[in-house]
Amino acid sequence: MDGDLSMPLPKAFLDFLEENGLDASIYAARDSIPRYIRIKPGGESQIPEVEMEIKCKLENIVWLPGFFAIPAHIQIASSKAYQEGKIYGIDAASGAAVMSLDISPGDHVLDLCAAPGAKLCMLSDLLGNSGSLTGVDVAKHRLAACRSMLQKYSLGDRCRLFVADGSTFSLLPLRVHTDSRLEMLRNDMCEEKIDVFREWTSRRSWKERKMAAKARNNLHVISVNTEPELIFYGQQSGVIGLSKSKLFESGCSSEASKLGYDKLKLLTNGFKLLKTGGSLVYSTCSLTVAQNEDVVDQFLSENPSAELQEINAAKNWPCRSGGIPKTLRFDPLVSRTSGLFIAKFVKLST
């Protein structure tokens, strides 16, 4: 749709919008959405240089730290700051979803729908040199793009990426980030006799390269492997020195309640992997009630230990309330962003 409302919209579509509480004028605002960029912490001194390179002023987004808006037609790929990994593009609504998690140092965060990767980069930025980040996506080629982003922006040190179905993924976070395993590899064990992970490398075997080439020729085919495939891990992700059997050891519900993730994104399966007291953010780019409020209602009815939580940071956000109290909706008309629904849950003790 081109955003021109001079031609009447089909009645069936108008009925659909009304059923979902959507204003048709939303579609007239799409063309006015700016492009958003995030400057990595510590890169604020680069702003004058970036403005000079792209020949426009950066509009500070006061409600979202580190975010700036530029006209939609402006390209940043040729700028030095982008090429050096100091700025990256991410929609402000996606940034709000990340901020909803209220990341704290040392958190263990799981993103069960990680592609295309901008939110993953922001999560890693916020964690800094603590905690861990696990990204999961069912499409390997899309997750490979996430890997490229993390490497480009030097943000993957504490991250691991798995190709897997987010609805069945069951691996708990690795909570030890010492050099003990590295020392064990260097001093005590012979490389030929130990089946453990060593420092990650982009070098792949002939078989892996052949499989990757086949996947590129069939990008519409989604991986159906039942076992997660690890395609990247950082130096401090806890993987190095770990045996493969130990890495792929699934956690049970009782273990997850104590040793599970502190923060994550997705819903039913993600909630199972959440530790007691942990927070879960469910966000979709859909504006329909069926994929948002209805899902939240059903989830709450089936999970008595789940409670909707107020998003404290949202007091000054340019969004409106969802159809359920404490949920939020971003849209082009009200927010000047892409459409996004956000709900935050906390896991109560059972």
Side-chain angles (χ1 to χ4, degrees), residues 2 30 64 86 95 142 151 154 158 160 176 199 206 208 224-225 257 269 282 285-286 296 299 301 309 312 329 345:
D2 60 9
R30 286 186 177 274
L64 201 56
K86 295 176 180 176
R142 283 168 57 82
Q151 291 178 284
S154 301
R158 290 179 173 268
R160 53 185 187 156
V176 179
E199 186 171 349
W206 175 85
E208 289 174 319
V224 292
N225 292 339
S257 66
N269 186 51
Y282 174 70
C285 57
S286 169
V296 170
F299 175 74
S301 68
Q309 195 170 27
N312 296 325
R329 280 179 173 266
F345 304 86

Side-chain angles (χ1 to χ4, degrees), residues 20 189 210:
N20 286 278
M189 296 188 173
K210 185 177 180 181

Side-chain angles (χ1 to χ4, degrees), residues 195-263:
D195 184 22
V196 297
F197 289 95
R198 289 166 176 79
E199 186 171 349
W200 185 84
T201 174
S202 59
R203 295 178 183 176
R204 296 173 296 173
S205 66
W206 175 85
K207 183 179 179 181
E208 289 174 319
R209 292 197 300 271
K210 185 177 180 181
M211 291 177 64
K214 183 178 180 181
R216 284 195 296 272
N217 293 329
N218 300 277
L219 293 182
H220 63 285
V221 178
I222 293 179
S223 171
V224 292
N225 292 339
T226 55
E227 182 178 282
E229 178 186 356
L230 180 66
I231 67 167
F232 175 77
Y233 53 91
Q235 185 80 6
Q236 296 296 321
S237 65
V239 174
I240 297 177
L242 197 68
S243 68
K244 294 180 181 178
S245 60
K246 186 68 176 177
L247 175 69
F248 291 104
E249 187 176 77
S250 297
C252 63
S253 298
S254 59
E255 288 176 317
S257 66
K258 297 178 181 178
L259 303 174
Y261 295 91
D262 297 283
K263 309 283 170 64

Side-chain angles (χ1 to χ4, degrees), residues 47-62:
I47 292 176
E49 182 180 341
V50 174
E51 291 177 333
M52 186 177 299
E53 282 190 285
I54 65 177
K55 297 180 175 58
C56 81
K57 295 288 289 183
L58 302 186
E59 178 190 344
N60 184 33
I61 306 303
V62 296

